[in-house]
Amino acid sequence: MHAVLASAVSAMQVFSVLLLESSEFPNALQANTPERRRHAVELSMMKPNAVPMNDLKRLYQRYEVEIAREVASTLRSGWWLNGAAGKRFAANFATFAGTSDCILVANGTDALELALRSIVGLGDAHGREVIVAANAGGYASCACWHNDLIPHYVDIEPASQLASVQSVLEAVSTDTAAIVATHLYGGVVDVPAIRAGLVNAGMSHIPVIEDCAQAHGARIRGETAGSLGDIATFSFYPTKNLGAMGDGGAVLTSNPRLADRVRQLHQYGWSSKYHVALPGGRNSRMDEVQAAILDVLLPDLNSRNEQRRSIVSRFRAVTGRRLKFLDGGNGAVAHLAVLLCDDRDAFRTFMKERGVDTDVHYPVLDCDQVGWAALPMKGTENLAISRASISRLCSVPCYPDMTNDEVEQVCRALSDWEAM
């Protein structure tokens, strides 16, 4: 999508120049010669080149030969669902994350819903509340409501914007069915500390779900995100650190009973073909083409994550006074380069004038979404840091296929803002 937008912006720049010339030379558009089109392009290029938030066509160009080979092989096989490509990628990704099982599903939201349904149906916790952060885009909240569960919101750490371990443990009660630890922006929630706290509180039966949609390959104290909790979910949306060229998701666990439940629930609740053993199932499968593409990209995930970290390090080197980049820990993978800024609107305008795209992840807390106001929720009164941060968050471009010139352009713009 970003690639399409980037192309559209370039086309509009050229059209704007032609339109401007047409006001000065009435016959300009009628005389739309190759020479005039070249002149329009040259004039448009006099402006700073736009640095997009992402450009997915570069990813494709980098791996075009390998992707074309694997996709063609998959299509020729005539097996486009539940085939060899999916089994191969699932096994490889489970090994990468350090779990015994990986079940591929249609998208990351399905993964969250299926993980919650599996773990609540199997676990010893009998409450209906799920502890979640309120600042993570709404995906965990939706998974709760779709499973007839109640999100119980907890506050975050200011420097990382990740769920506060203390806030999580303070919210735990006999009503808690599960905890969702969202590894936001590529940082890692301290799940081991949460689990230790649960043990100390006599609540070790409460399961922890890792939402790893933004944390492929992230680590904490040498352990990989996805292997820290009872069950984990991933999204392979195209802009993720490991992204498909369509949609996809996965549920990972080393608990064979949970793996078995997810396998049944993601295909109608079947125990065998056309025989339903569990209620609440659905049709949620990753197609073979996406699995084949992901398997091409997986071997380079660590090195591409290192490129992301390097880019953010360069941004940090020129900021610190007016702009504070978030710190997700040494094992963070910089899914997004997110900063805190006291005058976000002015900053975004400033960056746009210097040819740098920005975005906001995320502009509204889950508990403040107008469309969800009537839905059940708890903990909304204890979100001081979340509320203080929401108007200050801003993301700048950070992806492995950025050119050195683009990174420098962002650095100059950041430095100029700092100097004001």
Side-chain angles (χ1 to χ4, degrees):
M1 180 173 69
H2 295 284
V4 173
L5 288 174
S7 298
V9 169
S10 299
M12 285 301 294
Q13 286 179 333
V14 175
F15 180 76
S16 298
V17 173
L18 287 170
L19 192 60
L20 177 64
E21 288 189 343
S22 71
S23 65
E24 299 173 358
F25 307 100
N27 295 323
L29 290 180
Q30 289 86 340
N32 188 12
T33 64
E35 291 75 16
R36 186 167 297 281
R37 287 196 296 273
R38 282 196 297 273
H39 181 53
V41 171
E42 289 169 0
L43 288 176
S44 72
M45 293 299 288
M46 292 171 64
K47 299 180 180 180
N49 292 329
V51 182
M53 280 299 295
N54 213 319
D55 186 354
L56 294 173
K57 69 176 179 292
R58 301 182 195 182
L59 173 69
Y60 174 70
Q61 289 165 352
R62 181 180 295 272
Y63 293 95
E64 183 174 1
V65 173
E66 297 94 329
I67 288 172
R69 182 185 65 240
E70 294 303 320
V71 168
S73 174
T74 299
L75 293 176
R76 282 195 298 267
S77 76
W79 199 295
W80 303 332
L81 285 171
N82 300 330
K87 291 181 176 66
R88 182 172 61 249
F89 172 65
N92 289 340
F93 193 60
T95 299
F96 175 87
T99 65
S100 62
D101 290 279
C102 171
I103 301 96
L104 303 181
V105 297
N107 53 67
T109 305
D110 277 5
L112 271 171
E113 292 182 21
L114 289 164
L116 261 177
R117 184 159 301 180
S118 298
I119 212 162
V120 170
L122 185 64
D124 297 320
H126 300 293
R128 304 305 300 169
E129 296 179 10
V130 178
I131 294 174
V132 298
N135 67 332
Y139 313 108
S141 293
C142 283
C144 291
W145 290 316
H146 290 171
N147 278 297
D148 195 28
L149 298 167
I150 300 169
H152 185 143
Y153 297 115
V154 296
D155 214 355
I156 57 177
E157 298 289 350
S160 66
Q161 300 286 296
L162 299 170
S164 158
V165 172
Q166 180 180 344
S167 296
V168 168
L169 295 175
E170 288 175 352
V172 168
S173 73
T174 54
D175 293 326
T176 304
I179 297 166
V180 175
T182 298
H183 301 316
L184 196 62
Y185 307 137
V188 185
V189 177
D190 196 342
V191 173
I194 291 174
R195 300 189 82 170
L198 291 174
V199 170
N200 291 338
M203 294 285 190
S204 60
H205 61 282
I206 294 175
V208 178
I209 300 170
E210 294 180 77
D211 175 3
C212 305
Q214 299 185 4
H216 310 68
R219 291 174 173 81
I220 182 169
R221 295 189 288 278
E223 295 185 88
T224 305
S227 67
L228 308 170
D230 295 271
I231 196 167
T233 65
F234 286 82
S235 166
F236 301 111
Y237 184 81
T239 58
K240 303 299 186 184
N241 292 45
L242 180 62
M245 294 183 179
D247 219 336
V251 180
L252 278 69
T253 183
S254 292
N255 182 320
R257 294 177 66 203
L258 284 174
D260 186 58
R261 289 181 72 86
V262 174
R263 284 196 178 92
Q264 291 182 62
L265 288 171
H266 91 117
Q267 187 153 286
Y268 310 111
W270 285 355
S271 56
S272 59
K273 192 172 182 179
Y274 304 134
H275 292 269
V276 176
L278 292 176
R282 67 178 66 185
N283 171 15
S284 182
R285 299 178 294 234
M286 180 190 294
D287 70 70
E288 291 289 282
V289 169
Q290 300 308 327
I293 292 169
L294 289 166
D295 210 42
V296 168
L297 302 178
L298 178 59
D300 288 347
L301 176 56
N302 284 334
S303 63
R304 289 174 66 80
N305 282 343
E306 187 55 45
Q307 289 175 274
R308 290 173 179 269
R309 282 190 285 263
S310 176
I311 291 169
V312 174
S313 293
R314 291 171 68 178
F315 295 165
R316 284 201 181 96
V318 298
T319 57
R321 185 176 66 89
R322 301 184 67 194
L323 304 171
K324 304 287 187 183
F325 276 90
L326 301 186
D327 183 1
N330 292 335
V333 291
H335 170 63
L336 293 166
V338 182
L339 55 83
L340 292 168
C341 176
D342 288 332
D343 194 351
R344 183 172 69 195
D345 290 344
F347 173 72
R348 296 190 72 190
T349 299
F350 181 91
M351 297 298 278
K352 183 177 181 180
E353 289 171 349
R354 283 150 183 79
V356 178
D357 282 356
T358 60
D359 207 340
V360 178
H361 300 92
Y362 297 94
V364 185
L365 295 179
D366 296 6
C367 54
D368 293 336
Q369 291 284 6
V370 173
W372 294 340
L375 297 177
M377 60 183 76
K378 292 187 68 175
T380 58
E381 70 281 2
N382 298 317
L383 303 174
I385 297 172
S386 301
R387 294 192 184 283
S389 302
I390 201 74
S391 64
R392 303 176 63 217
L393 293 164
C394 189
S395 305
V396 298
C398 176
Y399 52 99
D401 300 302
M402 289 179 74
T403 67
N404 185 63
D405 286 347
E406 287 174 327
V407 177
E408 282 298 318
Q409 185 174 337
V410 178
C411 285
R412 283 195 300 272
L414 294 171
S415 181
D416 289 347
W417 176 268
E418 285 277 332
M420 288 173 57

